[in-house]
Amino acid sequence: MTATSISTPTVSRATDTAARRGLDRVGVPGWLQAMPFGLVFLFFFVIPLILVVIVSFWDYNDFEMLPSFTTRSYTENFEGCLVKLPDLCTILRTYVSTAKFCFIVWLTTLIIGFTIAYFLAFHVRSATTQMVLFLVCTIPFWTSNVIRMISWIPLLGRNGLVNEALLRAHIVDKPVEWLLYSPFSVSLAFTHLFTFFMVVPIFNSMMRIDKRLVEAAYDAGASGWQTLWNLIIPLSKPGIVIGSIFVVTIVMGDFITFDVMGGEQIASAGKVVETRLNALQFPPAAANAVILLAVTLLIIVALNRVVDVQKEL
């Protein structure tokens, strides 16, 4: 085999193997190499999370936290839930509302993100053009989320550009009220903010698909939809699941978007935590944070059952 016939991935793997052997040769074990990241993970994630769980079981009054074990912060959240059945109590209605927005945003970002990634991966032939267009998708991230949210207000407001256009075109007789400070505006803002989190992992998965498989499917007589459904989507599942985890976890804990685009009229799970913190009720805030984390982890586990992300990567 000549040197020119060795593929780039093979060279890369050989280089990584040589580097690992070099580290092993100087006596640096793997656990020691991972220690810096492990320490960062321990001090900035594990320990704060443990402290939040501990505080969630503390008692409190109007003036201070009392370091004595109690489940008061949890029982108060679900107080009256069993009594009101089949009606839902406030906390359950809040989580159902948040889950509804999660599903809507997940679906819209998945459709848009998958379409963009598919176009970049299979319809743009030049690698340079692919990268340029991919970088164009990152332009909105050059500004803060708050600015991007506020930019919708002049467009969707009662006297905004959209209503002006609808009135001048005689499509409506009066300004449309539900365009702003409504579930529609919240979902639109979330889709605008987080579609890129769906584009990146799906595009990465699609770029790993061997284009010869697609050509073989067409040669075998498969239509475009059959190739998409039976080949591209199954091979893109790891990217879809990773993007879904990003979008769902961010939406579940968000409260700023709900406040700005919902006019502080739409409840969310993250808003419950923020309200408790503003009232200086730290144990209930910690309890709600733990509940929110548990619900989010259940969603992630359910998504991971669709595709074993760790195995696929």
Side-chain angles (χ1 to χ4, degrees):
M1 180 183 295
T2 62
T4 56
S5 64
I6 301 177
S7 63
T8 301
T10 303
V11 174
S12 178
R13 285 194 296 270
T15 304
D16 294 341
T17 303
R20 286 194 296 269
R21 287 176 179 172
L23 289 172
D24 293 338
R25 209 174 282 124
V26 296
V28 181
W31 64 268
L32 189 59
Q33 299 171 35
M35 181 175 288
F37 176 77
L39 291 175
V40 171
F41 185 76
L42 175 67
F43 284 106
F44 293 98
F45 181 78
V46 176
I47 293 178
L49 181 59
I50 293 174
L51 292 176
V52 169
V53 174
I54 292 173
V55 171
S56 71
F57 287 102
W58 283 7
D59 201 358
Y60 68 99
N61 55 34
D62 293 336
F63 308 101
E64 60 182 344
M65 294 187 297
L66 306 174
S68 58
F69 181 84
T70 179
T71 59
R72 173 188 172 189
S73 297
Y74 290 94
T75 55
E76 284 181 347
N77 281 316
F78 298 98
E79 187 177 3
C81 285
L82 296 178
V83 177
K84 294 182 178 180
L85 291 177
D87 295 331
L88 298 178
C89 59
T90 302
I91 189 69
L92 291 181
R93 285 202 305 269
T94 301
Y95 273 90
V96 169
S97 174
T98 307
K100 179 189 71 175
F101 280 104
C102 278
F103 176 77
I104 294 172
V105 175
W106 169 80
L107 184 61
T108 53
T109 54
L110 175 61
I111 294 173
I112 298 172
F114 187 91
T115 304
I116 294 173
Y118 180 82
F119 173 78
L120 292 177
F122 294 102
H123 289 276
V124 179
R125 300 298 180 183
S126 170
T128 303
T129 307
Q130 281 181 338
M131 291 301 103
V132 170
L133 293 177
F134 183 79
L135 290 175
V136 169
C137 294
T138 68
I139 290 177
F141 282 78
W142 298 358
T143 57
S144 70
N145 285 4
V146 176
I147 293 176
R148 282 184 284 158
M149 279 188 292
I150 293 175
S151 66
W152 283 105
I153 296 177
L155 291 174
L156 303 178
R158 181 179 177 84
N159 299 316
L161 296 178
V162 174
N163 270 318
E164 281 288 329
L166 293 175
L167 290 171
R168 289 185 179 183
H170 301 289
I171 297 176
V172 296
D173 297 328
K174 59 181 180 179
V176 181
E177 301 287 347
W178 53 263
L179 289 178
L180 188 62
Y181 304 136
S182 65
F184 169 79
S185 60
V186 172
S187 302
L188 180 64
F190 273 131
T191 302
H192 174 213
L193 293 174
F194 304 132
T195 296
F196 188 70
F197 288 97
M198 195 70 80
V199 173
V200 174
I202 296 177
F203 176 67
N204 182 57
S205 293
M206 287 183 176
M207 289 301 293
R208 297 184 179 188
I209 298 175
D210 193 338
K211 302 301 186 293
R212 292 174 296 182
L213 293 175
V214 180
E215 295 175 0
Y218 284 126
D219 292 341
S223 64
W225 284 107
Q226 288 174 327
T227 303
L228 177 67
W229 186 257
N230 297 310
L231 178 65
I232 295 175
I233 291 180
L235 294 178
S236 301
K237 278 185 178 180
I240 294 173
V241 171
I242 293 173
S244 301
I245 291 173
F246 284 154
V247 171
V248 169
T249 53
I250 295 173
V251 174
M252 283 293 293
D254 188 281
F255 62 89
I256 297 177
T257 307
F258 283 100
D259 275 357
V260 175
M261 301 305 295
E264 299 188 359
Q265 302 174 22
I266 299 176
S268 69
K271 181 65 177 176
V272 175
V273 179
E274 191 255 351
T275 302
R276 292 288 196 174
L277 287 175
N278 288 340
L280 301 181
Q281 297 177 343
F282 297 113
N288 280 284
V290 172
I291 295 170
L292 178 59
L293 177 62
V295 172
T296 305
L297 288 176
L298 288 175
I299 296 174
I300 293 174
V301 170
L303 290 172
N304 200 48
R305 287 195 175 274
V306 177
V307 175
D308 189 345
V309 177
Q310 185 176 0
K311 180 181 178 181
E312 292 292 337
L313 294 179

